[in-house]
Amino acid sequence: MYRRLIKPILFAMNIERAHSVVLWLLRVIGKIPGGRWLLRRNYCIEHPSLEREVFGLKFRNPIGIAAGFDRNAEVFREMCDLGFGFVEVGTITPLPQPGLPRPRIFRLPKDHAIINRTGLSNKGLNRVVAQLRHRHDRLIIGANIGKNALTHPGQVPADYLRLFRSLYQYVDYFTINVCCDNCMEVDVSQDTSHLMKILTPLFDFRRGQNQYRPILIKISPDLSDERIDEITDLMQATPLDGIVAVNGTFTHTGLKTSEEALEEIGNGRLSGAPLTRRAIEVVKRIHDRSQGNYPIIGVGGLMTPDDVKNMLAAGASLVQLYTGYIYEGPGLVKRVCESLIEEEKHTPSTRHTSGVSE
């Protein structure tokens, strides 16, 4: 139904408008009596082989929706009803920001990809807190947090700390996004000394809390292998709990989309099928260097069940979908889960757990 009817309608719209329509429909379904039950009936799969325990949290399955889809925590319940094992909301900034001028998100159908340069448009911290304050469902929610575009460089750690403190009681884990649109200088924003200025106040605050919230850091695929190694070493030397790998790439080479079309679109982060190989490569590198002792959330170019299985085989404890979900629709999560269950039937039983670094 999605491919024959819904997808053609959505793809006839500007992608940002289509996304707004999808969010609106999910909110409506969530308010209709029995609406969420209907979603669960059609899309959710429960099976013991899908369950994972990662950084002290129990996930009903390892498939999450990446940050960027539910920026303002408006449909996280409905996304779980669509079969996701967890939802990462955001990227959230302290103050609301409109982002960059439109159009700013573009489909590349020939490449099964998307280019975006939203500038982290979102409604800000207070709106997200209001949305999460009354959550009663047993859902796993992560918060992807970033700085405001106009924040003075010296105040960047304060942006992250404000978000961390305000959201601490409402979410289950944090992703520190230092490769977002507001941190355009990749080599600078992900320099280890810069990272420690952001992370140290978060570690200090967490030590004084009764509840433990895992802290992960999200990295760019455009980093050199040497810089990825440095960040992996940083994870092992600090109280970081894991890495989310990877964000979109600014590399636009080797695409099927014409050069003329790419020039018209302009710069932006590329996600989707062209990113698959690099994302899996980065996850494997982190896994090997850390000897498999730290959780990794693998994201980037996961378009099919086989892509997900390859990412998990590379060392990811959990995965996230985004562009693949847009192209393949809500049935993708169900197909991935069915594929993982089938694979489990033909492999020796293993215990799916990943601990928390102290």
PDB file of all heavy atoms in Angstrom, residues 275-300:
ATOM      1  N   LEU A 275      25.916   6.251   1.469  1.00  0.00           N
ATOM      2  CA  LEU A 275      26.647   6.313   2.733  1.00  0.00           C
ATOM      3  C   LEU A 275      26.846   4.937   3.370  1.00  0.00           C
ATOM      4  O   LEU A 275      27.626   4.789   4.316  1.00  0.00           O
ATOM      5  CB  LEU A 275      25.896   7.237   3.705  1.00  0.00           C
ATOM      6  CG  LEU A 275      26.536   7.599   5.047  1.00  0.00           C
ATOM      7  CD1 LEU A 275      27.912   8.214   4.866  1.00  0.00           C
ATOM      8  CD2 LEU A 275      25.624   8.546   5.820  1.00  0.00           C
ATOM      9  N   THR A 276      26.161   3.926   2.840  1.00  0.00           N
ATOM     10  CA  THR A 276      26.142   2.609   3.491  1.00  0.00           C
ATOM     11  C   THR A 276      27.540   2.077   3.778  1.00  0.00           C
ATOM     12  O   THR A 276      27.862   1.692   4.911  1.00  0.00           O
ATOM     13  CB  THR A 276      25.393   1.586   2.624  1.00  0.00           C
ATOM     14  OG1 THR A 276      24.112   2.122   2.258  1.00  0.00           O
ATOM     15  CG2 THR A 276      25.204   0.283   3.367  1.00  0.00           C
ATOM     16  N   ARG A 277      28.364   2.026   2.757  1.00  0.00           N
ATOM     17  CA  ARG A 277      29.684   1.413   2.896  1.00  0.00           C
ATOM     18  C   ARG A 277      30.543   2.134   3.930  1.00  0.00           C
ATOM     19  O   ARG A 277      31.170   1.487   4.776  1.00  0.00           O
ATOM     20  CB  ARG A 277      30.395   1.408   1.539  1.00  0.00           C
ATOM     21  CG  ARG A 277      31.771   0.763   1.561  1.00  0.00           C
ATOM     22  CD  ARG A 277      32.354   0.704   0.164  1.00  0.00           C
ATOM     23  NE  ARG A 277      33.694   0.131   0.161  1.00  0.00           N
ATOM     24  CZ  ARG A 277      34.427  -0.031  -0.932  1.00  0.00           C
ATOM     25  NH1 ARG A 277      33.944   0.329  -2.115  1.00  0.00           N
ATOM     26  NH2 ARG A 277      35.641  -0.554  -0.846  1.00  0.00           N
ATOM     27  N   ARG A 278      30.581   3.454   3.878  1.00  0.00           N
ATOM     28  CA  ARG A 278      31.407   4.217   4.813  1.00  0.00           C
ATOM     29  C   ARG A 278      30.893   4.080   6.252  1.00  0.00           C
ATOM     30  O   ARG A 278      31.684   3.938   7.189  1.00  0.00           O
ATOM     31  CB  ARG A 278      31.453   5.692   4.409  1.00  0.00           C
ATOM     32  CG  ARG A 278      32.225   6.601   5.371  1.00  0.00           C
ATOM     33  CD  ARG A 278      33.666   6.156   5.545  1.00  0.00           C
ATOM     34  NE  ARG A 278      34.414   7.073   6.405  1.00  0.00           N
ATOM     35  CZ  ARG A 278      35.602   6.804   6.929  1.00  0.00           C
ATOM     36  NH1 ARG A 278      36.194   5.632   6.691  1.00  0.00           N
ATOM     37  NH2 ARG A 278      36.222   7.691   7.696  1.00  0.00           N
ATOM     38  N   ALA A 279      29.572   4.104   6.429  1.00  0.00           N
ATOM     39  CA  ALA A 279      29.013   3.984   7.776  1.00  0.00           C
ATOM     40  C   ALA A 279      29.397   2.652   8.416  1.00  0.00           C
ATOM     41  O   ALA A 279      29.815   2.597   9.577  1.00  0.00           O
ATOM     42  CB  ALA A 279      27.500   4.133   7.721  1.00  0.00           C
ATOM     43  N   ILE A 280      29.273   1.570   7.661  1.00  0.00           N
ATOM     44  CA  ILE A 280      29.629   0.249   8.185  1.00  0.00           C
ATOM     45  C   ILE A 280      31.129   0.171   8.458  1.00  0.00           C
ATOM     46  O   ILE A 280      31.574  -0.406   9.457  1.00  0.00           O
ATOM     47  CB  ILE A 280      29.179  -0.847   7.200  1.00  0.00           C
ATOM     48  CG1 ILE A 280      27.648  -0.911   7.165  1.00  0.00           C
ATOM     49  CG2 ILE A 280      29.757  -2.202   7.573  1.00  0.00           C
ATOM     50  CD1 ILE A 280      27.078  -1.860   6.123  1.00  0.00           C
ATOM     51  N   GLU A 281      31.909   0.786   7.582  1.00  0.00           N
ATOM     52  CA  GLU A 281      33.370   0.805   7.750  1.00  0.00           C
ATOM     53  C   GLU A 281      33.766   1.512   9.045  1.00  0.00           C
ATOM     54  O   GLU A 281      34.639   1.042   9.786  1.00  0.00           O
ATOM     55  CB  GLU A 281      33.983   1.514   6.538  1.00  0.00           C
ATOM     56  CG  GLU A 281      35.482   1.618   6.533  1.00  0.00           C
ATOM     57  CD  GLU A 281      35.973   2.374   5.304  1.00  0.00           C
ATOM     58  OE1 GLU A 281      36.201   1.743   4.257  1.00  0.00           O
ATOM     59  OE2 GLU A 281      36.101   3.611   5.388  1.00  0.00           O
ATOM     60  N   VAL A 282      33.129   2.651   9.328  1.00  0.00           N
ATOM     61  CA  VAL A 282      33.439   3.404  10.548  1.00  0.00           C
ATOM     62  C   VAL A 282      33.054   2.602  11.785  1.00  0.00           C
ATOM     63  O   VAL A 282      33.809   2.537  12.769  1.00  0.00           O
ATOM     64  CB  VAL A 282      32.730   4.772  10.536  1.00  0.00           C
ATOM     65  CG1 VAL A 282      32.868   5.466  11.892  1.00  0.00           C
ATOM     66  CG2 VAL A 282      33.295   5.666   9.439  1.00  0.00           C
ATOM     67  N   VAL A 283      31.879   1.986  11.755  1.00  0.00           N
ATOM     68  CA  VAL A 283      31.430   1.191  12.905  1.00  0.00           C
ATOM     69  C   VAL A 283      32.397   0.039  13.162  1.00  0.00           C
ATOM     70  O   VAL A 283      32.775  -0.226  14.308  1.00  0.00           O
ATOM     71  CB  VAL A 283      30.003   0.659  12.663  1.00  0.00           C
ATOM     72  CG1 VAL A 283      29.651  -0.441  13.666  1.00  0.00           C
ATOM     73  CG2 VAL A 283      29.003   1.801  12.770  1.00  0.00           C
ATOM     74  N   LYS A 284      32.829  -0.634  12.113  1.00  0.00           N
ATOM     75  CA  LYS A 284      33.769  -1.746  12.285  1.00  0.00           C
ATOM     76  C   LYS A 284      35.094  -1.256  12.871  1.00  0.00           C
ATOM     77  O   LYS A 284      35.695  -1.913  13.725  1.00  0.00           O
ATOM     78  CB  LYS A 284      34.019  -2.464  10.964  1.00  0.00           C
ATOM     79  CG  LYS A 284      34.858  -3.741  11.107  1.00  0.00           C
ATOM     80  CD  LYS A 284      35.020  -4.471   9.795  1.00  0.00           C
ATOM     81  CE  LYS A 284      35.694  -5.818  10.011  1.00  0.00           C
ATOM     82  NZ  LYS A 284      36.947  -5.751  10.775  1.00  0.00           N
ATOM     83  N   ARG A 285      35.539  -0.088  12.425  1.00  0.00           N
ATOM     84  CA  ARG A 285      36.802   0.449  12.936  1.00  0.00           C
ATOM     85  C   ARG A 285      36.693   0.756  14.430  1.00  0.00           C
ATOM     86  O   ARG A 285      37.599   0.418  15.212  1.00  0.00           O
ATOM     87  CB  ARG A 285      37.179   1.714  12.160  1.00  0.00           C
ATOM     88  CG  ARG A 285      38.559   2.233  12.516  1.00  0.00           C
ATOM     89  CD  ARG A 285      38.995   3.399  11.650  1.00  0.00           C
ATOM     90  NE  ARG A 285      40.407   3.679  11.877  1.00  0.00           N
ATOM     91  CZ  ARG A 285      41.401   3.137  11.180  1.00  0.00           C
ATOM     92  NH1 ARG A 285      41.142   2.291  10.203  1.00  0.00           N
ATOM     93  NH2 ARG A 285      42.661   3.429  11.467  1.00  0.00           N
ATOM     94  N   ILE A 286      35.594   1.374  14.835  1.00  0.00           N
ATOM     95  CA  ILE A 286      35.398   1.692  16.253  1.00  0.00           C
ATOM     96  C   ILE A 286      35.304   0.404  17.065  1.00  0.00           C
ATOM     97  O   ILE A 286      35.899   0.265  18.142  1.00  0.00           O
ATOM     98  CB  ILE A 286      34.128   2.536  16.439  1.00  0.00           C
ATOM     99  CG1 ILE A 286      34.282   3.902  15.747  1.00  0.00           C
ATOM    100  CG2 ILE A 286      33.818   2.723  17.921  1.00  0.00           C
ATOM    101  CD1 ILE A 286      32.990   4.670  15.641  1.00  0.00           C
ATOM    102  N   HIS A 287      34.548  -0.559  16.562  1.00  0.00           N
ATOM    103  CA  HIS A 287      34.359  -1.831  17.256  1.00  0.00           C
ATOM    104  C   HIS A 287      35.690  -2.556  17.446  1.00  0.00           C
ATOM    105  O   HIS A 287      36.003  -3.051  18.533  1.00  0.00           O
ATOM    106  CB  HIS A 287      33.382  -2.703  16.476  1.00  0.00           C
ATOM    107  CG  HIS A 287      33.147  -4.055  17.075  1.00  0.00           C
ATOM    108  ND1 HIS A 287      33.881  -5.169  16.716  1.00  0.00           N
ATOM    109  CD2 HIS A 287      32.261  -4.478  18.014  1.00  0.00           C
ATOM    110  CE1 HIS A 287      33.458  -6.207  17.415  1.00  0.00           C
ATOM    111  NE2 HIS A 287      32.476  -5.825  18.205  1.00  0.00           N
ATOM    112  N   ASP A 288      36.484  -2.615  16.387  1.00  0.00           N
ATOM    113  CA  ASP A 288      37.764  -3.322  16.470  1.00  0.00           C
ATOM    114  C   ASP A 288      38.728  -2.624  17.428  1.00  0.00           C
ATOM    115  O   ASP A 288      39.413  -3.274  18.219  1.00  0.00           O
ATOM    116  CB  ASP A 288      38.394  -3.442  15.080  1.00  0.00           C
ATOM    117  CG  ASP A 288      37.636  -4.399  14.167  1.00  0.00           C
ATOM    118  OD1 ASP A 288      36.769  -5.140  14.680  1.00  0.00           O
ATOM    119  OD2 ASP A 288      37.903  -4.389  12.951  1.00  0.00           O
ATOM    120  N   ARG A 289      38.768  -1.287  17.352  1.00  0.00           N
ATOM    121  CA  ARG A 289      39.730  -0.562  18.198  1.00  0.00           C
ATOM    122  C   ARG A 289      39.333  -0.642  19.673  1.00  0.00           C
ATOM    123  O   ARG A 289      40.203  -0.672  20.554  1.00  0.00           O
ATOM    124  CB  ARG A 289      39.825   0.900  17.756  1.00  0.00           C
ATOM    125  CG  ARG A 289      40.972   1.644  18.451  1.00  0.00           C
ATOM    126  CD  ARG A 289      41.241   2.970  17.796  1.00  0.00           C
ATOM    127  NE  ARG A 289      42.361   3.674  18.397  1.00  0.00           N
ATOM    128  CZ  ARG A 289      43.641   3.537  18.053  1.00  0.00           C
ATOM    129  NH1 ARG A 289      43.965   2.697  17.079  1.00  0.00           N
ATOM    130  NH2 ARG A 289      44.596   4.224  18.663  1.00  0.00           N
ATOM    131  N   SER A 290      38.037  -0.683  19.954  1.00  0.00           N
ATOM    132  CA  SER A 290      37.573  -0.768  21.343  1.00  0.00           C
ATOM    133  C   SER A 290      37.366  -2.208  21.783  1.00  0.00           C
ATOM    134  O   SER A 290      36.848  -2.456  22.881  1.00  0.00           O
ATOM    135  CB  SER A 290      36.270   0.017  21.509  1.00  0.00           C
ATOM    136  OG  SER A 290      35.248  -0.534  20.690  1.00  0.00           O
ATOM    137  N   GLN A 291      37.739  -3.153  20.913  1.00  0.00           N
ATOM    138  CA  GLN A 291      37.650  -4.585  21.197  1.00  0.00           C
ATOM    139  C   GLN A 291      36.239  -5.028  21.563  1.00  0.00           C
ATOM    140  O   GLN A 291      36.033  -5.950  22.358  1.00  0.00           O
ATOM    141  CB  GLN A 291      38.634  -4.970  22.315  1.00  0.00           C
ATOM    142  CG  GLN A 291      40.087  -4.690  21.946  1.00  0.00           C
ATOM    143  CD  GLN A 291      41.062  -5.076  23.042  1.00  0.00           C
ATOM    144  OE1 GLN A 291      40.749  -5.005  24.224  1.00  0.00           O
ATOM    145  NE2 GLN A 291      42.257  -5.502  22.631  1.00  0.00           N
ATOM    146  N   GLY A 292      35.275  -4.337  20.988  1.00  0.00           N
ATOM    147  CA  GLY A 292      33.878  -4.717  21.192  1.00  0.00           C
ATOM    148  C   GLY A 292      33.347  -4.478  22.582  1.00  0.00           C
ATOM    149  O   GLY A 292      32.304  -5.020  22.961  1.00  0.00           O
ATOM    150  N   ASN A 293      34.025  -3.637  23.357  1.00  0.00           N
ATOM    151  CA  ASN A 293      33.641  -3.426  24.757  1.00  0.00           C
ATOM    152  C   ASN A 293      32.703  -2.245  24.961  1.00  0.00           C
ATOM    153  O   ASN A 293      32.275  -2.008  26.100  1.00  0.00           O
ATOM    154  CB  ASN A 293      34.896  -3.226  25.611  1.00  0.00           C
ATOM    155  CG  ASN A 293      35.723  -4.488  25.723  1.00  0.00           C
ATOM    156  OD1 ASN A 293      35.175  -5.592  25.773  1.00  0.00           O
ATOM    157  ND2 ASN A 293      37.041  -4.342  25.740  1.00  0.00           N
ATOM    158  N   TYR A 294      32.406  -1.505  23.898  1.00  0.00           N
ATOM    159  CA  TYR A 294      31.557  -0.324  24.033  1.00  0.00           C
ATOM    160  C   TYR A 294      30.420  -0.375  23.022  1.00  0.00           C
ATOM    161  O   TYR A 294      30.617  -0.776  21.874  1.00  0.00           O
ATOM    162  CB  TYR A 294      32.378   0.957  23.820  1.00  0.00           C
ATOM    163  CG  TYR A 294      33.352   1.233  24.932  1.00  0.00           C
ATOM    164  CD1 TYR A 294      34.578   0.571  24.988  1.00  0.00           C
ATOM    165  CD2 TYR A 294      33.038   2.137  25.945  1.00  0.00           C
ATOM    166  CE1 TYR A 294      35.477   0.810  26.016  1.00  0.00           C
ATOM    167  CE2 TYR A 294      33.933   2.388  26.974  1.00  0.00           C
ATOM    168  CZ  TYR A 294      35.141   1.723  27.010  1.00  0.00           C
ATOM    169  OH  TYR A 294      36.025   1.957  28.036  1.00  0.00           O
ATOM    170  N   PRO A 295      29.227   0.044  23.444  1.00  0.00           N
ATOM    171  CA  PRO A 295      28.102   0.057  22.521  1.00  0.00           C
ATOM    172  C   PRO A 295      28.293   1.058  21.392  1.00  0.00           C
ATOM    173  O   PRO A 295      28.834   2.148  21.592  1.00  0.00           O
ATOM    174  CB  PRO A 295      26.916   0.467  23.400  1.00  0.00           C
ATOM    175  CG  PRO A 295      27.341   0.177  24.798  1.00  0.00           C
ATOM    176  CD  PRO A 295      28.818   0.416  24.814  1.00  0.00           C
ATOM    177  N   ILE A 296      27.856   0.671  20.203  1.00  0.00           N
ATOM    178  CA  ILE A 296      27.855   1.550  19.041  1.00  0.00           C
ATOM    179  C   ILE A 296      26.455   1.522  18.449  1.00  0.00           C
ATOM    180  O   ILE A 296      25.877   0.449  18.258  1.00  0.00           O
ATOM    181  CB  ILE A 296      28.855   1.085  17.965  1.00  0.00           C
ATOM    182  CG1 ILE A 296      30.270   0.942  18.544  1.00  0.00           C
ATOM    183  CG2 ILE A 296      28.859   2.049  16.779  1.00  0.00           C
ATOM    184  CD1 ILE A 296      31.226   0.190  17.636  1.00  0.00           C
ATOM    185  N   ILE A 297      25.905   2.693  18.186  1.00  0.00           N
ATOM    186  CA  ILE A 297      24.655   2.774  17.428  1.00  0.00           C
ATOM    187  C   ILE A 297      25.039   3.075  15.984  1.00  0.00           C
ATOM    188  O   ILE A 297      25.602   4.127  15.685  1.00  0.00           O
ATOM    189  CB  ILE A 297      23.711   3.859  17.973  1.00  0.00           C
ATOM    190  CG1 ILE A 297      23.320   3.544  19.419  1.00  0.00           C
ATOM    191  CG2 ILE A 297      22.464   3.957  17.104  1.00  0.00           C
ATOM    192  CD1 ILE A 297      22.370   4.555  20.044  1.00  0.00           C
ATOM    193  N   GLY A 298      24.758   2.133  15.095  1.00  0.00           N
ATOM    194  CA  GLY A 298      25.118   2.275  13.697  1.00  0.00           C
ATOM    195  C   GLY A 298      23.993   2.922  12.910  1.00  0.00           C
ATOM    196  O   GLY A 298      22.842   2.462  12.956  1.00  0.00           O
ATOM    197  N   VAL A 299      24.316   3.971  12.185  1.00  0.00           N
ATOM    198  CA  VAL A 299      23.309   4.689  11.401  1.00  0.00           C
ATOM    199  C   VAL A 299      23.971   5.238  10.143  1.00  0.00           C
ATOM    200  O   VAL A 299      25.134   5.634  10.169  1.00  0.00           O
ATOM    201  CB  VAL A 299      22.659   5.823  12.240  1.00  0.00           C
ATOM    202  CG1 VAL A 299      23.710   6.774  12.783  1.00  0.00           C
ATOM    203  CG2 VAL A 299      21.630   6.593  11.433  1.00  0.00           C
ATOM    204  N   GLY A 300      23.232   5.232   9.047  1.00  0.00           N
ATOM    205  CA  GLY A 300      23.764   5.754   7.791  1.00  0.00           C
ATOM    206  C   GLY A 300      23.639   4.737   6.672  1.00  0.00           C
ATOM    207  O   GLY A 300      24.305   3.705   6.697  1.00  0.00           O
TER     208      GLY A 300
END
